[in-house]
Amino acid sequence: MSGEAAEAEAVELVSRLRSRFQGALVGLAVGEALAAPAVFGRPGSFAPVRDLLGGGPHDLPRGAWGDDTAMSLCVARSLVGSGACDPIDQLERYRRWQRDGEGSATGECIGIGAGTARALVDGRPDGAVPDGAESLARTVPLAMRHWADAEALRTAVRTTTAVTCHEPATFDAAARCAAALAAALRGAPPAAIVEAVDAAGAPASAAPLLVPSAATAASPAVVLAAAARAFAEGAGWKDAVLRAVNLGGPADARGGLAGALAGAHCGVEAIPAAWREALAGRDEIEDLADRLLADALVGLVA
């Protein structure tokens, strides 16, 4: 291969990676924003979501997102700011978001769960309070930073998850979520991405896309399985995310994850342009994706 051909191939590879990196982080945020009208609802109790509208129980403006994306962006800022997976820095960023709304879409801390709120106040998770599914969204920037290093990714996921979570099932779900995201970023086919999720001993592709009971709907493992199922069945980014969102319940966590998986696989161009343009904080989200890509590429040759 000539020098010019090799250079052109390298440019094309970086271009594809950039689209997937932006697709993962923008997809997370747009997916969560789409879910606003369906959060806490049961199918049939709300009009099926077909467009980016805002509203819902948190009365979000169109294009605004809640706790899943906010905490994921805290992790992303920490990674690019400190150059490492620093749980102390992450905790301080979460606390500023909780206290002051720093880095949120609306200037307020929206949607924080009881377990997460308690962990941020106490500085450690409370073993008596169930973990929340927002732990899964925090794996998105970790998978981007360590997309080519499975061991570093596992370590970073465990470190980050432990800031607010304590249940073994949560650590397992977070690790599987990160592995699926990294596979998508590497260009793996959908079957391989879904296989990485493997919920409850059976591939998510074989699990029924049903509405679980209220007691289990928000568990990280159930949210992950449903998001992966929506990704597997969806005909493109939009269809996958709307499938996840319209199940109601923890629609924000599920929609965000489906959006991240589909965005990492399809690239940012697959997300409807009008929805990307309406996204709160779009410029910073895209910039963080680019900075995570730059750090990841430097790490490959370091």
Side-chain angles (χ1 to χ4, degrees):
M1 182 183 295
S2 69
E4 288 185 358
E7 182 177 351
E9 183 176 321
V11 169
E12 175 62 22
L13 172 61
V14 172
S15 178
R16 288 199 303 271
L17 280 173
R18 183 172 188 249
S19 177
R20 289 175 179 152
F21 270 56
Q22 290 203 354
L25 207 55
V26 172
L28 168 67
V30 175
E32 185 178 15
L34 270 171
V39 173
F40 303 146
R42 291 190 61 82
S45 69
F46 57 88
V49 177
R50 294 288 180 263
D51 200 356
L52 185 65
L53 301 173
H58 301 303
D59 195 23
L60 291 176
R62 182 173 185 265
W65 28 264
D67 62 317
D68 295 83
T69 300
M71 297 191 78
S72 181
L73 295 180
C74 285
V75 174
R77 296 184 194 104
S78 181
L79 287 170
V80 301
S82 63
C85 182
D86 183 343
I88 296 175
D89 184 65
Q90 290 175 19
L91 176 60
E92 290 307 313
R93 290 176 186 271
Y94 299 151
R95 283 172 165 169
R96 293 198 296 272
W97 162 68
Q98 180 188 36
R99 183 183 63 242
D100 306 320
E102 180 180 299
S104 72
T106 62
E108 298 178 282
C109 174
I110 296 292
I112 190 170
T116 299
R118 179 73 62 83
L120 299 188
V121 171
D122 295 344
R124 63 185 183 279
D126 185 336
V129 182
D131 292 336
E134 95 293 328
S135 55
L136 301 176
R138 295 184 332 224
T139 70
V140 175
L142 299 175
M144 294 164 69
R145 176 61 182 84
H146 300 295
W147 68 286
D149 188 336
E151 184 59 35
L153 178 56
R154 282 192 293 269
T155 300
V157 167
R158 184 159 192 87
T159 298
T160 295
T161 304
V163 175
T164 64
C165 301
H166 62 91
E167 296 177 289
T170 302
F171 289 92
D172 176 66
R176 289 185 283 113
C177 182
L181 286 161
L185 290 167
R186 293 193 299 269
I193 297 167
V194 173
E195 184 179 356
V197 171
D198 191 87
S205 58
L209 188 55
L210 301 174
V211 181
S213 69
T216 63
S219 75
V222 171
V223 167
L224 175 59
R229 177 67 167 165
F231 165 70
E233 290 192 340
W237 190 94
K238 179 178 179 179
D239 184 53
V241 176
L242 290 179
R243 284 171 180 265
V245 162
N246 281 306
L247 291 175
D252 47 355
R254 202 187 303 108
L257 273 188
L261 281 169
H265 173 67
C266 302
V268 71
E269 297 83 5
I271 304 171
W275 294 354
R276 283 184 274 137
E277 291 168 3
L279 181 64
R282 175 188 173 187
D283 289 346
E284 187 198 10
I285 293 171
E286 291 178 343
D287 180 64
L288 283 169
D290 285 345
R291 294 175 69 184
L292 285 166
L293 174 59
D295 287 350
L297 293 175
V298 169
L300 287 178
V301 298

